[in-house]
Amino acid sequence: MTEQVISAHIPTRKLKMPRASGKGRQVDATALEEVRALLGDEPRRKDLLIEHLHKIQDQYQHISAKHLVALAYEMRLSKAEVYEVATFYHHFDVVKEGDTPPPALTVRVCESMTCEMMGANSLISSLEKAMGDDVRVQRVPCVGRCDKAPVAVVGMHPVEQAETSTVAALVEQGHTQPEQIDAILLDEYLASGGYQTYQKCINGDIKVEQVLDMMDDSGLRGLGGAGFPVGRKWRIVRDQPSPRLMAVNIDEGEPGTFKDKYYLDRDPHCFLEGMLIAAWAVGIDEIYIYLRDEYAAIRVMLEQELIQLQQNPPVPNLPKLYLRRGAGAYICGEESAMIESIEGKRGMPRLRPPFVAQVGLFGRPTLEHNMESLYWVRDIVEKGPECLTKHGRNGRKGLRSFSVSGRVNKPGVHLAPAGISMRELIDEYCGGMQQGHEFYGYFPGGASGGILPASLGDVPLDFDTLHEYGCFIGSAAIVVFSDKDRARDLALNAMKFFEDESCGQCTPCRVGTSKAVNLMKNADWDQPLLEDLSEVMVDASICGLGQAAPNPLRSVIKYFPEELK
């Protein structure tokens, strides 16, 4: 067939004139000026999208459709992309055109396991009646203050052991800003010898191989939950081509966990010095610190301290330090989801391989660490591995920071020997059970770590010691409950949390958690169906959220069968 014949078979089409403006919603000039004023001279890079969304949310207490369009225009991003990111995170109140914005003030009340045990549902009901139309009362997941349950947050101001009267008084007085924290700041830290260990590393008094060997000898493992040996991780990333990056995960959203907050409230520069030593040992020039949005006071403090640290560096040529703000997404505790969020995207876990050590943040080899893992680095280098290895019980070595909440007299973060049992922890560190409460069971590793009965209260608590019981220690978030509570109710609370926090990327997790919640609400559990559902979630979910979500319900079936009769 000739070229002329081919062209004869192509239908002609009337050419359209180009549009005078783009498709869809047009940019509102006033909204664009407002967005430009909020962004100021800051870069309009895609990875700063979430940071810029926070600016709008903070200013207007919601994000309107016109501001979304203006932000998309200003950042040269599609409106769909900006909308998808904004609606993914719980802390952004996206208001569609024609909808009524939320009230100017929101009171958030935690409804996770410990707060529910301590009366959160009654508090919420009372606040809904007491607050006027200009205040929104919102149920939210764990806010990282489980030892002070129940907890409410007025704007950004937390109210511990909250009562309706105290919350109402803060609302009336307009106390909505973050509280003040009494941490050791840079001047005091330097005066007490801070950053001298880091200086020795930089000056060559301490060699890289010495530090790597000390990490190995200390037995330090990832304390965000995975438990990967720190020294081995450093060597893996160090062997990757440069430039290499670091991402620090302080998005501890696991219900029952608040240890990172505990240490940052008190001694943030111990963590920062450990972080800088790690960066030096691995050969890293840029560090991104990802902090959960619920820790507003810590964010304010860290912003100021990082500026001070970079303006008055203890050594020349510090790595570039960036603080990134989460936006209320538990899934971003997973390392690859956190990296996606730092890049300005929805926090959806990546398929592996490749692993983040090889292809991580911005496509570069990335050392990802939990905050507490880095907190111990300075002491190990300064005092030697024995500062950890000399501790331990029941054949285990090391120290564990247990976040303990629930029916004990002294909840809080308790630094105790690795391998301690639950009964020993309650009796020696937590002041025993509350009056009128008998030890009945416990979550050894937060909502995802499963549930064990009091009859297994003598099992050593450490990495690898709980697997045979269908549980794990994770981040050592322990929730203790008594004979006045029901394990099945707490398991349902945990499953509702997983349903709400599923990123929705994979069907087994998205549908499985929802189906499990509906089945667990029934008086009689369909145990064979729940087990089939659990097996699919464990085998086919992309990340740890879906894989671990069935642990509490499986534990109830295995250890608390009397509650299902």
Side-chain angles (χ1 to χ4, degrees):
M1 185 179 290
T2 67
E3 186 173 326
Q4 289 81 1
V5 175
I6 293 173
S7 63
H9 283 77
I10 299 175
T12 59
R13 183 173 56 186
K14 184 178 179 181
L15 295 177
K16 293 183 178 180
M17 295 297 292
R19 291 175 177 266
S21 58
K23 292 183 179 180
R25 189 185 306 276
Q26 302 305 302
V27 179
D28 180 89
T30 301
L32 182 59
E33 287 304 311
E34 291 170 344
V35 166
R36 285 174 173 170
L38 288 173
L39 271 54
D41 295 331
E42 293 194 31
R44 270 59 168 169
R45 299 192 315 267
K46 179 180 176 180
D47 62 289
L48 292 173
L49 173 57
I50 294 172
E51 296 294 307
H52 295 338
L53 285 168
H54 273 302
K55 294 179 177 65
I56 300 173
Q57 176 72 41
D58 290 347
Q59 178 69 23
Y60 299 102
Q61 286 73 56
H62 69 279
I63 302 175
S64 67
K66 64 180 183 180
H67 283 132
L68 275 180
V69 172
L71 182 63
Y73 177 86
E74 184 67 10
M75 297 188 70
R76 300 297 187 263
L77 299 173
S78 73
K79 293 185 280 287
E81 182 175 5
V82 174
Y83 179 80
E84 284 180 347
V85 171
T87 53
F88 180 86
Y89 295 94
H90 299 316
H91 290 186
F92 296 139
D93 289 312
V94 178
V95 179
K96 298 179 181 179
E97 187 173 8
D99 288 352
T100 303
L105 178 61
T106 295
V107 174
R108 296 175 173 87
V109 184
C110 174
E111 62 172 356
S112 289
M113 299 178 300
T114 304
C115 282
E116 182 178 86
M117 279 195 289
M118 299 301 176
N121 288 327
S122 298
L123 175 63
I124 292 169
S125 298
S126 176
L127 287 172
E128 288 175 339
K129 297 175 182 177
M131 297 294 105
D133 294 337
D134 57 342
V135 177
R136 175 177 58 168
V137 178
Q138 189 177 55
R139 294 174 177 266
V140 298
C142 185
V143 296
R145 297 172 183 268
C146 316
D147 54 332
K148 306 294 184 182
V151 180
V153 183
V154 179
M156 294 184 182
H157 190 93
V159 187
E160 298 176 339
Q161 296 173 331
E163 298 178 355
T164 302
S165 58
T166 54
V167 173
L170 285 174
V171 170
E172 184 176 351
Q173 295 163 11
H175 287 181
T176 62
Q177 296 305 305
E179 81 279 28
Q180 296 291 320
I181 56 177
D182 186 21
I184 298 173
L185 303 182
L186 181 59
D187 289 344
E188 183 180 355
Y189 188 75
L190 289 171
S192 63
Y195 290 105
Q196 289 185 5
T197 302
Y198 177 51
Q199 290 174 340
K200 290 178 181 178
C201 292
I202 297 296
N203 295 337
D205 298 329
I206 302 174
K207 307 299 183 186
V208 170
E209 281 301 322
Q210 288 179 272
V211 171
L212 293 174
D213 289 342
M214 283 190 278
M215 293 302 114
D216 291 335
D217 295 342
S218 71
L220 182 65
R221 297 172 66 170
L223 298 172
F228 194 86
V230 167
R232 191 190 310 173
K233 179 182 282 191
W234 289 15
R235 294 179 191 275
I236 291 171
V237 179
R238 182 177 170 81
D239 288 341
Q240 303 302 313
S242 60
R244 297 176 285 269
L245 306 177
M246 183 190 293
V248 182
N249 196 330
I250 320 180
D251 194 58
E252 55 173 0
E254 181 77 22
T257 309
F258 46 93
K259 62 183 179 61
D260 292 353
K261 176 184 177 300
Y262 176 86
Y263 288 118
L264 287 172
D265 275 345
R266 289 157 177 79
D267 196 359
H269 285 278
C270 181
F271 146 65
L272 292 173
E273 183 170 6
M275 178 187 76
L276 291 171
I277 292 171
W280 161 80
V282 180
I284 287 167
D285 296 323
E286 293 188 8
I287 303 173
Y288 290 79
I289 303 170
Y290 189 86
L291 178 69
R292 72 178 306 201
D293 196 32
E294 287 83 353
Y295 294 167
I298 291 175
R299 173 171 49 82
V300 172
M301 177 270 294
L302 277 180
E303 287 173 345
Q304 297 170 348
E305 292 304 292
L306 290 175
I307 291 172
Q308 290 291 323
L309 187 62
Q310 292 177 98
Q311 289 179 345
N312 303 284
V315 301
N317 302 317
L318 278 185
K320 293 181 180 179
L321 305 175
Y322 304 97
L323 181 63
R324 291 295 175 86
R325 179 178 173 185
Y330 166 72
I331 192 64
C332 290
E334 195 275 339
E335 60 178 8
S336 65
M338 175 194 65
I339 284 172
E340 290 285 296
S341 188
I342 293 174
E343 292 179 353
K345 306 172 187 174
R346 293 174 294 168
M348 289 191 168
R350 298 175 179 177
L351 292 171
R352 287 178 286 258
F355 297 96
V356 299
Q358 302 163 311
V359 182
L361 187 57
F362 306 121
R364 300 306 311 162
T366 302
L367 178 65
E368 187 275 343
H369 261 315
N370 167 257
M371 192 288 300
E372 196 204 347
S373 304
L374 296 169
Y375 183 86
W376 294 108
V377 167
R378 185 205 65 185
D379 280 359
I380 293 170
V381 177
E382 187 176 294
K383 303 173 183 177
E386 58 273 13
C387 72
L388 295 185
T389 58
K390 68 182 179 182
H391 302 280
R393 289 190 190 179
N394 298 311
R396 312 298 296 185
K397 288 185 178 181
L399 290 168
R400 294 288 172 266
S401 302
F402 294 99
S403 305
V404 185
S405 62
R407 305 294 191 182
V408 294
N409 284 319
K410 294 181 181 178
V413 173
H414 298 289
L415 186 62
I420 194 172
S421 72
M422 190 67 249
R423 290 189 185 278
E424 291 171 332
L425 191 61
I426 291 173
D427 293 340
E428 297 176 30
Y429 290 83
C430 301
M433 297 292 292
Q434 291 178 350
Q435 186 174 2
H437 291 269
E438 182 179 339
F439 180 36
Y440 179 45
Y442 62 107
F443 288 75
S448 60
I451 313 175
L452 292 175
S455 60
L456 292 175
D458 296 319
V459 175
L461 297 172
D462 198 12
F463 294 114
D464 313 320
T465 61
L466 303 174
H467 291 171
E468 63 181 293
Y469 305 102
C471 297
F472 58 77
I473 193 171
S475 60
I478 294 179
V479 180
V480 182
F481 57 96
S482 76
D483 55 336
K484 301 296 191 297
D485 307 300
R486 294 205 307 170
R488 62 175 290 163
D489 293 340
L490 294 170
L492 175 58
N493 183 296
M495 189 60 74
K496 288 179 179 177
F497 171 81
F498 294 130
E499 179 189 20
D500 290 340
E501 295 296 332
S502 172
C503 74
Q505 181 177 188
C506 62
T507 302
C509 176
R510 181 183 68 251
V511 177
T513 52
S514 179
K515 180 69 172 178
V517 165
N518 290 330
L519 290 170
M520 293 168 72
K521 287 179 179 178
N522 296 330
D524 296 321
W525 285 11
D526 187 336
Q527 297 182 34
L529 182 55
L530 280 169
E531 180 53 38
D532 287 345
L533 187 63
S534 298
E535 188 172 347
V536 171
M537 292 171 66
V538 171
D539 291 343
S541 294
I542 290 174
C543 80
L545 190 155
Q547 295 164 10
N551 286 340
L553 77 85
R554 281 178 153 176
S555 296
V556 172
I557 293 172
K558 184 175 182 179
Y559 297 117
F560 302 90
E562 67 279 1
E563 294 192 11
L564 304 178
K565 296 178 181 177

